[in-house]
Every structure is written in structure tokens, then in C-alpha cells.
């Protein structure tokens, strides 16, 4: 099947919403898998998530900030990511407030109550957006309509569960967008958690009659074992709900795709999935990532974990740095708060001792800022002037305007590219060398002092040549006989992972039924499952 799908209003791209029984049910990976499967059929497809809450974000070519999961899904669809694919992004700054990013640009800092309909908020954008979340529905439906106009199909991802009845009135990401755009919904459930049949039934039965009319079927995710043992339950579910299960996706190890929210990473002992290959040299290289509060873009270290012989783990205790060859301070949505956390836990002192001993430390974005001499922050924390760790000759001032960019440069004699997402403006006053230059001796970003490195650039380690050169320097400083593999291509590995997602859909889902939903829309006569929404 190729070309435009027909609808009552004329030629328009088909649509499908992938909802979930819970958060982390697998919506992001299923959406990416469907995108990859469709594009392999010659169908022009785009991903879409009306509203995302995540600290893992990405910068598009036009300088817009979107969720990193949507950037990953765009890669699965083999299209360039744009702000249309994630028009509303919420970036938590605490348990009760988030920065609101609208069409790729920050518009204000709002409390949860303010965003969901009450009062709250204390920065530009409050008057326009607080208490009027439903007004964003017009924006997100316009974005979805534009994507459908320019693509054969748009695969939408929901958020959390569509049965969050306390939020349904102002929902714009689950049944709200499905109702507005009249697109069918497939609900994903994680059977590895248990209770998947109850979750499917309960999710459906808690929706209103109008919402239920859009729920066309279910997808079981992360199944282990013999599918024939599951089939009687699937038939009973169909009898109870009148809806088919459109696939049973097996549990797949080692996918290693971008995750949506750094807040869900275990603070201790969490090991990123690595390539199961022996080290290329005589030694492994151990990397400890400090799991700071409000950690953002922890996907920066995925490229390290992809290297054979590099072991990456997240830590939150000083003693866990003892055997690390490289310590990474990652990005964070709360630089000053993270700095205090490092000091409270003794990690700051441990990092300072490492630096004094010439042992490697890398700071990325907020981590780079923490390594400096001082931070002047009247924007993010409003804490005023705060002393940094003093390990890099850098002074940071937080600006109201956020820097969003996709720069390119040279580091350690190798080409490097990345993306910038930060309010902090760094003044580098010394150091042994710039971290990244323009290739002609002019500094572009960051610096190095001894074995301590810092940069604002996310994603720089995905540049293969630079990553290998950096790891060679780290190994030399750490005294390890580690040798980077000469042929590890991070982009190639990512493509292989996305193809695996496409394979899961192609081999284990009812692709004919999915195509019918995308092309024809919501089936007629889907039964109502009582009691419905209260």
C-alpha cells in the first residue's frame, strides 16, 4: 500500500493513536516500531505526541525543543524531526512544577495545578496558559492536521493512560486528540507487569461511550513464553469487550532505544544496556554517571555504553566512584539543586579528589556548569550566586532566554556535532584547551583543565571519531589498557535497533488489521463496555 489514504474530507494521511494501560507500557517503542514497519512498506509516515512530559529532549534543525522519544520515532520513520511532532513539552523542575515548551520554545514555568486548570505559575506565559490547558487542543490538532496533510500516515503516541478520569476534561494527548481528529486507538499493555487482561478491560470500561467508540483493539507487549497459552484469555477478552488483540509482542532484550524520562532511572546500580562483546583491548573501562536530581538527557552516555568493553552505571554514593575510570556529571533541569545534592552525599568531595589525582571527569550541560567556579542563577533556582565545584575555570550566568542550537565543530582532531539546551551562559577564563573548536583554533564551547572536561553540547559522544579519541585520552589518564573498537558506529547500531522494532511489529502484530485502521479509520459498531466514565 502506498500513496495518500482517502477520507471523507478528501486525500489525507491516515492516523492511529497508540495508547497504553499505564506509563511505560511500551507506547514509545510500539509507535517507533509501527513507524519503521510502515516506512519499509514505502509509506510516508510521521510520529506525533501532542503533549510529552520528559527531561530527555532534543533540538530540531529549526531550533525547536521536542521530546527525545519523538526524535527517535522520527528516525524510525526516516524523516527529519520537527516541532509539529511534539507541540507541547513539559519539563519538570520539581514534583509540582514544569517548564512549558510550546511549539519548541519555552513559554513559562507553571505548577501542575495551574497547568491542569487551577491557579499557579510565576513566570511569563502564566496568564495565557494557566488554567486553559484545553485551549492547547486547537494547537495540537492543527499540528496533527499538518502532518497528515504532508504524510501518508501519522502514528500518534498517547501519555500515561487514557483512563485517567481525573484529567479527562482537559486531556489533549489521549482520547482528547483521538476524538478531535477521529482516529482509531490501539491500547498497549505490558504483560510482564501482570494483570494485563484486567488492565485492558478496566481501561476500556472507564472510558465514556464516545471515547470507547474509538478503541479498536489491543496490543500485548513484553510477552515471555508460549503464545498458545495466552490465546484463551485473548478470546475471552474479545468476548468481554468486542475488540480483538492485534498482536502479542515478545519480550526483547537489548533494544537500548532512547527512554522518555530520566526520573525513572534507578539511582543505584542501573546499567545501561551495552553491546555484549569483549573489550577490544586488555581492559574494560568503567564509567560512573552521577544520578543527580532532575537528570536530563541521560541518553548522552548511551554512545559510551555502545562501545565494547565500556561498562556504564548510574550511582548516588561517593564510594561508588572509587573504581570508576571516568565520572560523568550529566545534564539536569536543576543545576543548583543537583550541586547541593552532590555536596550532601559526599560526591562533590570525591570528585574533587579525583581531579586532584588526575583521574578523568566529564561534565555535560548542567554537569559542566557545576564543575565551574560559580553560578549566578536568578532564573532556574533563583538562588543568586552559588559556588561551583571549582574544577574548571568557568563562570556561569543563567539567562532568561534558553539556548537551543544544533552546532558542529572539531574536538581532539575529529569532527563533532551535538545539540544545546540550556539557560546557563558560560564564561571560560582559562584552562588547558577548549573542549570544542571551529577547527581553526577558535573555541566554540567548553574547556579542559587537567583531566576535567566540560561542554554544553549534548550528543557529542555520538560522533564516532571523537568518542574514540576521547576514550583513548580517558584510558591513558586512568592508566587502563583499554582500546576503543575501530568499527563501532553509533548511528548504525541505532538503525539496527529501530529495524528490530520494525521486525517485532511485522512478525508479531496483525499488520493487515493495523493498515485497515490507519487507512479506513474507526470501525463501525464497536460495543460499549459498562460502566463507562463516571
Amino acid at each position: 500500500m502506498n500513496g495518500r489514504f482517502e477520507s471523507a474530507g478528501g486525500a489525507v494521511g491516515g492516523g492511529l493513536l497508540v495508547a497504553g494501560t499505564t506509563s511505560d507500557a511500551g507506547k514509545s517503542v510500539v509507535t517507533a516500531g509501527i513507524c519503521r514497519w510502515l516506512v519499509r512498506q514505502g509509506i510516508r509516515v510521521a510520529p506525533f505526541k501532542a503533549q510529552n512530559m520528559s527531561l530527555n529532549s532534543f533540538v530540531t534543525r529549526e531550533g525547536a525543543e521536542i521530546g527525545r522519544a519523538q526524535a527517535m520515532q522520527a528516525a524510525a520513520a526516516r524523516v527529519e524531526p520537527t516541532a509539529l511532532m511534539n507541540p507541547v513539552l513539559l519539563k519538570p523542575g520539581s514534583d509540582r512544577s514544569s517548564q512549558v515548551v510550546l511549539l519548541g520554545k519555552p513559554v513559562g514555568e507553571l505548577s501542575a495545578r495551574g497547568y491542569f486548570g487551577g491557579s499557579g505559575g510565576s513566570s511569563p506565559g502564566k496568564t495565557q496558559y494557566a488554567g486553559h490547558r484545553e485551549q492547547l487542543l486547537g494547537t495540537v490538532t492543527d499540528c496533527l492536521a499538518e502532518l497528515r496533510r504532508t504524510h501518508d500516515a501519522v502514528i500518534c503516541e498517547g501519555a500515561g493512560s487514557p483512563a485517567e478520569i481525573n484529567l479527562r476534561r482537559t486531556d489533549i494527548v489521549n482520547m482528547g486528540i483521538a476524538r478531535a481528529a477521529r482516529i482509531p486507538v490501539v491500547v498497549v499493555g505490558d504483560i510482564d507487569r501482570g494483570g494485563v487482561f484486567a488492565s485492558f478491560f478496566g481501561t476500556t470500561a472507564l472510558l465514556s461511550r464516545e471515547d470507547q467508540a474509538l478503541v479498536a483493539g489491543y496490543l500485548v507487549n513484553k510477552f515471555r513464553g508460549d503464545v498458545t497459552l495466552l490465546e484463551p484469555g485473548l478470546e475471552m477478552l474479545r468476548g468481554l469487550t468486542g475488540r480483538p488483540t492485534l498482536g502479542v509482542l515478545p519480550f526483547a532484550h537489548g533494544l537500548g532505544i532512547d527512554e522518555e524520562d530520566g526520573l525513572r532511572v534507578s539511582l543505584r546500580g542501573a546499567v545501561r544496556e551495552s553491546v555484549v562483546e569483549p573489550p577490544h583491548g586488555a581492559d574494560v573501562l568503567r564509567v560512573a554517571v552521577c544520578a543527580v536530581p532532575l537528570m536530563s538527557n541521560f541518553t548522552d552516555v548511551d554512545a559510551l555504553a555502545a562501545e565494547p568493553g565500556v561498562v556504564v552505571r548510574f550511582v548516588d554514593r561517593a564510594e561508588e566512584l572509587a573504581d570508576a575510570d571516568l565520572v560523568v556529571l550529566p545534564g539536569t533541569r536543576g543545576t543548583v539543586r543537583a550541586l547541593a545534592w552532590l555536596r550532601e552525599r559526599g560526591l562533590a568531595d570525591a570528585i574533587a579528589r579525583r581531579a586532584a589525582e588526575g583521574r578523568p571527569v566529564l561534565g555535560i550541560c548542567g554537569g559542566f556548569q557545576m564543575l565551574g567556579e560559580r553560578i549566578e542563577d536568578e532564573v532556574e533556582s533563583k538562588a543568586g550566586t552559588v559556588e561551583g565545584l571549582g574544577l574548571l575555570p568557568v563562570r556561569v550566568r543563567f539567562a532568561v532566554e534558553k539556548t537551543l542550537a544544533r552546532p558542529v565543530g572539531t574536538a581532539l582532531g575529529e569532527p563533532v556535532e551535538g545539540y544545546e539546551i540550556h539557560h546557563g551562559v558560560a564564561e571560560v577564563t582559562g584552562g588547558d584547551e577548549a573542549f570544542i573548536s571551529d577547527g581553526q583554533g577558535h573555541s566554540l564551547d567548553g574547556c579542559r583543565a587537567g583531566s576535567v572536561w566540560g561542554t554544553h553540547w549534548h550528543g557529542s559522544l555520538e560522533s564516532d571519531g571523537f568518542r574514540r579519541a576521547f576514550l583513548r585520552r580517558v584510558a591513558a589518564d586512568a592508566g587502563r589498557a583499554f582500546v576503543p573498537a575501530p568499527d563501532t558506529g553509533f548511528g548504525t547500531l541505532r538503525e539496527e535497533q529501530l529495524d528490530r522494532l520494525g521486525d517485532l511489529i511485522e512478525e508479531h502484530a496483525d499488520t493487515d488489521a493495523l493498515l485497515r485502521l490507519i487507512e479506513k479509520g474507526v470501525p463501525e459498531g464497536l460495543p460499549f463496555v459498562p460502566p463507562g466514565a463516571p
Side-chain angles (χ1 to χ4, degrees), residues 51-133:
Q51 175 193 290
N52 198 351
M53 178 173 281
S54 179
L55 288 170
N56 278 341
S57 58
F58 184 76
V59 179
T60 67
R61 293 290 181 193
E62 70 268 30
E65 185 178 8
I66 65 172
R68 190 164 173 102
Q70 279 61 67
M72 176 270 293
Q73 291 161 356
R78 295 177 179 151
V79 294
E80 189 68 30
T82 74
L84 293 174
M85 297 173 183
N86 180 205
V88 181
L89 173 63
L90 305 177
K91 302 192 71 175
S94 70
D95 291 339
R96 296 190 176 186
S97 68
S98 294
Q99 183 180 69
V100 181
V101 180
L102 181 63
L103 292 173
K105 303 297 179 184
V107 296
E109 189 87 17
L110 295 178
S111 70
R113 181 174 292 274
Y115 185 75
F116 284 90
S119 61
S122 59
S123 63
K126 172 188 173 184
T127 303
Q128 187 175 0
Y129 297 100
H132 300 287
R133 183 174 181 241

Side-chain angles (χ1 to χ4, degrees), residues 116-118 131 133-134 164-172:
F116 284 90
R133 183 174 181 241
E134 64 276 12
E164 291 168 349
I165 54 179
N166 56 315
L167 303 177
R168 176 61 185 93
R169 181 178 61 84
T170 54
D171 169 52
I172 63 172

Side-chain angles (χ1 to χ4, degrees), residues 407-417 433-445 457 466:
V408 296
T410 300
L412 299 179
E414 298 286 347
V416 62
E417 58 183 278
E433 63 179 299
F435 193 107
I436 301 172
S437 70
D438 62 0
Q440 299 177 352
H442 303 108
S443 175
L444 292 179
D445 181 78
W457 290 21
F466 163 68

Side-chain angles (χ1 to χ4, degrees), residues 179-501:
R179 284 267 292 274
R182 294 299 303 171
I183 56 176
V185 178
V186 173
V187 181
V188 177
D190 179 358
I191 197 171
D192 198 50
R193 295 182 173 191
V196 73
F197 294 117
S199 298
F200 283 143
F201 182 85
T203 297
T204 308
L206 275 177
L207 299 178
S208 69
R209 186 179 297 273
E210 295 79 8
D211 286 350
Q212 284 192 29
L214 300 176
V215 176
Y218 311 109
L219 271 171
V220 176
N221 192 30
K222 297 184 182 179
F223 179 72
R224 306 172 192 251
D226 185 349
V227 174
T228 61
L229 299 177
L230 194 65
E231 288 172 352
L234 301 179
E235 284 304 312
M236 285 186 275
L237 179 68
R238 183 165 191 162
L240 289 166
T241 67
R243 291 158 174 86
T245 296
L246 303 176
V248 178
L249 309 181
F251 193 101
H253 293 277
L255 289 175
I257 65 162
D258 295 356
E259 297 182 51
E260 188 163 274
D261 197 342
L263 294 176
R264 298 195 184 105
V265 174
S266 170
L267 288 181
R268 182 160 50 250
V271 180
R272 299 293 290 165
E273 294 177 351
S274 303
V275 177
V276 184
E277 293 182 15
H280 195 70
D283 283 347
V284 299
L285 206 64
R286 297 176 176 85
V287 178
V289 185
C290 295
V292 297
L294 298 173
M295 180 168 53
S296 62
N297 287 70
F298 64 88
T299 49
D300 282 333
V301 299
D302 283 358
L304 296 179
E307 286 284 350
V310 175
V311 180
V312 179
R313 57 182 177 154
F314 290 87
V315 304
D316 67 344
R317 298 188 303 201
E319 57 267 30
E320 292 176 298
L321 304 186
D323 66 345
D325 302 305
L326 171 67
V327 169
V328 177
L329 286 180
T332 172
R333 176 79 169 83
T335 302
V336 170
R337 175 179 169 182
L339 189 55
W341 181 86
L342 290 174
R343 289 178 167 133
E344 290 166 1
R345 290 177 171 262
L347 286 159
D349 289 339
I351 291 169
R353 287 194 296 272
R354 288 183 60 89
E357 295 166 359
R359 302 172 69 194
V361 177
L362 169 64
I364 302 173
C365 200
F368 169 42
Q369 296 165 6
M370 286 186 275
L371 291 171
E373 297 168 352
R374 71 166 186 250
I375 299 170
E376 296 177 18
D377 182 11
E378 299 292 349
V379 175
E380 189 175 78
S381 68
K382 297 180 174 59
T385 301
V386 177
E387 294 300 311
L389 297 179
L391 302 180
L392 287 176
V394 176
R395 298 171 184 173
V396 176
R397 174 184 55 82
F398 273 64
V400 174
E401 294 296 319
K402 180 186 284 190
T403 297
L404 296 170
R406 288 278 294 272
V408 296
T410 300
L412 299 179
E414 298 286 347
V416 62
E417 58 183 278
Y419 54 101
E420 295 184 72
I421 308 170
H422 54 91
H423 284 279
V425 178
E427 177 190 1
V428 179
T429 60
D432 300 320
E433 63 179 299
F435 193 107
I436 301 172
S437 70
D438 62 0
Q440 299 177 352
H442 303 108
S443 175
L444 292 179
D445 181 78
C447 70
R448 177 184 69 85
S451 61
V452 180
W453 305 72
T455 176
H456 271 130
W457 290 21
H458 294 291
S460 61
L461 293 167
E462 295 179 17
S463 299
D464 296 330
F466 163 68
R467 182 181 65 255
R468 296 182 194 118
F470 178 70
L471 289 176
R472 284 192 288 269
R473 290 282 289 268
V474 167
D477 288 345
R480 291 283 185 185
F482 170 84
V483 179
D487 55 355
T488 301
F490 186 73
T492 301
L493 290 173
R494 174 169 287 165
E495 275 294 299
E496 291 173 354
Q497 291 164 343
L498 294 174
D499 273 332
R500 288 182 62 195
L501 292 180

